[in-house]
Amino acid sequence: MTQQTWDEVGGLLPHDEFRAASEAIVANIEQVIEGKTATVRLALAVLLAEGHLLIEDVPGVGKTKLAKALARSIDCTVRRIQFTPDLLPSDVTGVSVYNQETHDFEFRPGAVFANLVVGDEINRASPKTQSALLECMEERQVTVDGVTYQLQTPFMVIATQNPIEMEGTYPLPEAQRDRFTARIAMGYPDSNAELAMLDGHGATDPLNELRSVSDAAIVRQLIATVRQVHVADAVKQYAIDLVTATREAPDLRLGASPRATLQLLRTARAVAALEGRDYVLPDDLQALAVPVLAHRIIPTADAQLARRTTDAIVSELVHRLPLPHDRQRNPYDTRPGTGTGNGRAPYEPRRP
């Protein structure tokens, strides 16, 4: 596969083809992950939003299987990195090796040179090794020995970590947590899903038989289509208000960054497209607030003593913040909007 730069994506897909391609990927992943449709769809939304995913949960709930199933559902280049304390940054980015025949240095790409990079137990590597992902996650490029190499499109890092067992681990620095578009938790399956898992996984692993239902070209077209999803000015302002609320909350000593606002909007576009809409609703932002914002913020000491989680704090902020006016209007309603009375612009849907 030839390398693609960050902006070289495919053409737009018609609505029916977009829905068929996205549903095929979701259905394929659900052959391995039982009873987690919302989680699977959010993982796909992060891919289509050109972001990165952090899966954080206890052992044995399918974190790595979700990452592998998403990777195998797309016929792209996939590399898996098992993060360990002795892993070196050059193992991730690559290294220049001297060639005695040519009397020159040759660059040997590391594991990050793939469309989907699965980083298992990312918090078990040292901060020095973790920082090797900072440039590639944000800028889609790798710089080694002063030479910059562009990464392929699509490019996504899916990292897993166990939040319970902290012995021998290195917490992710805030700069790296902020580069993950969303953090999700798998959670335990319900009884019916666990029973289906016993029937389907008891003898063989369905992951071994999983076949790809898409490829990099189609994914690039899906991404290009998501980029065209409309966001009204009032919805953009609501996204800013959500992020600003985290910066002003008394229970938080660090709020979300402007990068969080951008990734919240991008993910909302992807979710809207997966729901069959070409416009974003404030409800999309509400549903994404916790997975996109909660891992970027730091509670105060008092909030930690009160055992208030960042998920709970963000949820409370979402419920307190008023929604934009006219959020339930038909997006193709051409009637002029009315003011909200609070200085905020009304919801201005796109005209047909």
Side-chain angles (χ1 to χ4, degrees):
M1 177 183 295
T2 59
Q3 287 195 348
Q4 301 287 329
T5 62
W6 173 238
D7 289 325
E8 288 178 339
V9 295
L12 302 182
L13 283 178
H15 172 74
D16 293 341
E17 293 184 20
F18 182 97
R19 187 177 184 86
S22 59
E23 292 298 334
I25 296 174
V26 171
N28 202 51
I29 297 174
E30 287 188 317
Q31 295 182 39
V32 177
I33 305 298
E34 302 283 351
K36 297 293 180 182
T37 301
T39 302
V40 170
R41 292 178 70 87
L42 179 56
L44 178 59
V46 171
L47 171 64
L48 300 186
E50 303 165 278
H52 310 287
L53 184 65
L54 177 62
I55 309 175
E56 185 178 272
D57 214 325
V58 297
V61 293
K63 301 187 298 295
T64 306
K65 277 192 178 296
L66 173 60
K68 286 185 174 181
L70 176 58
R72 292 194 180 186
S73 297
I74 304 168
D75 188 15
C76 299
T77 55
V78 180
R79 297 291 296 273
R80 180 181 181 274
I81 309 174
Q82 181 64 55
F83 280 79
T84 56
D86 60 346
L87 189 71
L88 299 176
S90 58
D91 297 328
V92 177
T93 60
V95 64
S96 296
V97 179
Y98 185 74
N99 189 327
Q100 294 184 351
E101 295 181 359
T102 62
H103 302 287
D104 198 1
F105 285 92
E106 295 181 353
F107 177 68
R108 294 186 179 178
V112 79
F113 284 84
N115 293 118
L116 272 74
V117 179
V118 180
D120 205 10
E121 298 286 350
I122 188 174
N123 57 337
R124 294 199 175 277
S126 66
K128 182 179 180 180
T129 302
Q130 292 177 11
S131 65
L133 290 171
L134 292 178
E135 181 184 12
C136 64
M137 291 177 68
E138 179 63 21
E139 303 174 43
R140 266 61 177 185
Q141 66 182 29
V142 173
T143 302
V144 179
D145 295 334
V147 181
T148 299
Y149 304 90
Q150 295 292 332
L151 297 177
Q152 300 175 351
T153 302
F155 173 73
M156 181 184 187
V157 174
I158 308 175
T160 70
Q161 70 172 359
N162 174 14
I164 304 300
E165 185 183 356
M166 292 290 103
E167 183 178 355
T169 64
Y170 304 85
L172 295 180
E174 292 306 315
Q176 182 149 10
R177 295 176 72 90
D178 195 47
R179 280 166 167 77
F180 284 102
T181 300
R183 180 191 65 181
I184 63 175
M186 298 294 296
Y188 293 112
D190 57 32
S191 298
N192 293 332
E194 197 158 7
L195 180 60
M197 181 193 71
L198 294 178
D199 292 337
H201 299 221
T204 60
D205 187 353
L207 186 64
N208 297 330
E209 301 177 359
L210 202 64
R211 298 292 180 265
S212 61
V213 295
S214 183
D215 56 28
I218 294 177
V219 172
R220 285 194 288 268
Q221 288 182 298
L222 293 173
I223 291 173
T225 305
V226 166
R227 286 183 176 184
Q228 302 303 312
V229 173
H230 174 68
V231 184
D233 289 341
V235 179
K236 294 177 183 177
Q237 184 61 52
Y238 182 62
I240 294 174
D241 292 344
L242 275 175
V243 176
T244 302
T246 66
R247 302 167 188 165
E248 300 173 350
D251 290 332
L252 299 176
R253 62 184 178 92
L254 177 66
S257 66
R259 183 191 285 121
T261 313
L262 180 61
Q263 294 188 349
L264 178 63
L265 207 60
R266 286 178 174 173
T267 313
R269 279 194 172 107
V271 168
L274 292 176
E275 294 293 330
R277 287 182 275 110
D278 65 346
Y279 57 92
V280 174
L281 291 174
D283 308 71
D284 299 326
L285 301 179
Q286 283 190 319
L288 292 169
V290 171
V292 174
L293 301 180
H295 65 288
R296 307 170 188 270
I297 60 180
I298 300 178
T300 61
D302 291 340
Q304 290 178 333
L305 288 174
R307 297 191 175 184
R308 299 198 62 198
T309 64
T310 55
D311 289 16
I313 294 174
V314 172
S315 296
E316 184 178 330
L317 293 176
V318 169
H319 284 93
R320 286 183 179 179
L321 194 66
L323 282 164
H325 186 61
D326 286 348
R327 74 182 189 279
Q328 298 298 337
R329 282 178 54 179
N330 187 311
Y332 299 109
D333 189 348
T334 57
R335 295 175 300 170
T338 57
T340 61
N342 59 3
R344 181 180 299 168
Y347 177 36
E348 297 177 356
R350 177 170 55 176
R351 272 56 174 177

